[in-house]
Amino acid sequence: MAVVNANYEFIYVDVGANGLSNGDVWANSDLSRRLEEETAGLPDDQMLGNQRTLPYVLVGDDAFPLRRHLMKPYPFQNQDDEQRIFSYRISRAHRIVENAFGNMVDKFKILHNAMQVEPSKMEKIVLAYTVLHNYLFRNNEASYSPVGSLDKENLDGTITASSWRNSQQLLSLDRLTNTTDEAENIRKEFTRYFCHEGAIPWQHPMCGMEGNCLSY
């Protein structure tokens, strides 16, 4: 499990949880505990738009729970227009995470296969690759990640897929449904923001919609 910033860099990595379910990996992580205890070093809540103060959040997929500092898409069945917009916007952010993993695995081929080493050594190897990935991205991006190595979002919102997607496939993870009332309310506020003052021009056609989101 890892956290990736907007520059495709790994800023938190948890290795060595083989055999645990996705929910157990998150629940037993130091990051989960720190987020729950408000000791993860996140900035204070901030005004977003004109009418709401919201916390800083991480973006996850269905393998993670919905929490105050962790947002995920709505369940994909029976989404209304606003929920579809929110899920689309979350997926745009999550694509950064996919590309960080995909690019790293594409460059370091050993990560394509099971490592025939002791678990403690495997953990050090994976951590070393994430550090090397960050170093190369910061200092030699043109060679390490040339044009075509990452997904490209075009001006109309369409995606030109990266080269790594032709050679590998990210695994689908189990879906977690546990949430809190506070997290649900925060997700609703982000949803309203994305559908109004925080809207982007192409989000409606990308979601198969015409016109504006539902009013609130």
Side-chain angles (χ1 to χ4, degrees):
M1 183 183 69
V3 177
V4 176
N5 66 17
N7 296 319
Y8 304 96
E9 297 171 350
F10 292 93
I11 59 175
Y12 174 88
V13 182
D14 187 346
V15 185
N18 187 38
L20 295 179
S21 68
N22 302 321
D24 288 338
V25 171
W26 172 255
N28 291 308
S29 69
D30 179 66
L31 178 60
S32 173
R33 177 182 62 80
R34 288 181 177 274
L35 289 177
E36 293 291 338
E37 297 174 352
E38 300 283 347
T39 60
L42 295 181
D44 295 334
D45 295 1
Q46 187 168 327
M47 191 73 177
L48 183 65
N50 301 320
Q51 1 182 1
R52 55 188 67 80
T53 299
L54 292 172
Y56 281 78
V57 297
L58 305 179
V59 172
D61 58 19
D62 277 343
F64 294 92
L66 185 68
R67 291 290 184 266
R68 170 177 168 78
H69 291 293
L70 180 59
M71 292 288 103
K72 59 187 284 186
Y74 287 97
F76 285 101
Q77 291 184 338
N78 301 318
Q79 290 186 5
D80 62 31
D81 286 355
E82 288 193 338
Q83 292 171 347
R84 288 164 66 189
I85 292 293
F86 175 87
S87 297
Y88 166 67
R89 296 289 292 271
I90 288 293
S91 70
R92 290 179 72 235
H94 192 262
R95 190 176 290 271
I96 300 294
V97 184
E98 294 179 354
N99 276 272
F101 276 101
N103 190 70
M104 180 177 69
V105 173
D106 193 49
K107 296 301 188 295
F108 305 118
K109 303 299 185 183
I110 189 175
L111 298 174
H112 281 250
N113 305 299
M115 298 183 191
Q116 303 301 316
V117 296
E118 297 177 0
S120 60
K121 292 183 179 179
M122 181 276 298
E123 180 175 352
K124 293 177 181 179
I125 291 171
V126 173
L127 289 173
Y129 278 127
T130 60
V131 172
L132 183 57
H133 165 92
N134 287 354
Y135 175 83
L136 291 172
F137 230 108
R138 293 174 186 172
N139 296 280
N140 198 11
E141 181 179 353
S143 296
Y144 177 64
S145 184
V147 175
S149 298
L150 304 172
D151 291 343
K152 176 186 177 183
E153 186 171 41
N154 304 309
L155 294 178
D156 61 355
T158 58
I159 300 295
T160 301
S162 56
S163 57
W164 67 262
R165 292 189 184 274
N166 297 323
S167 59
Q168 57 181 290
Q169 185 70 37
L170 297 178
L171 295 177
S172 298
L173 301 178
D174 298 334
R175 179 171 177 257
L176 293 182
T177 58
N178 56 330
T179 182
T180 65
D181 290 342
E182 180 189 30
E184 286 284 7
N185 290 331
I186 291 171
R187 182 162 65 174
K188 289 178 181 177
E189 288 300 320
F190 273 111
T191 300
R192 294 187 180 108
Y193 173 76
F194 290 148
C195 286
H196 296 277
E197 64 264 41
I200 53 179
W202 59 84
Q203 64 187 22
H204 296 93
M206 290 300 296
C207 293
M209 298 160 47
E210 294 183 0
N212 296 320
C213 289
L214 302 177
S215 62
Y216 69 103

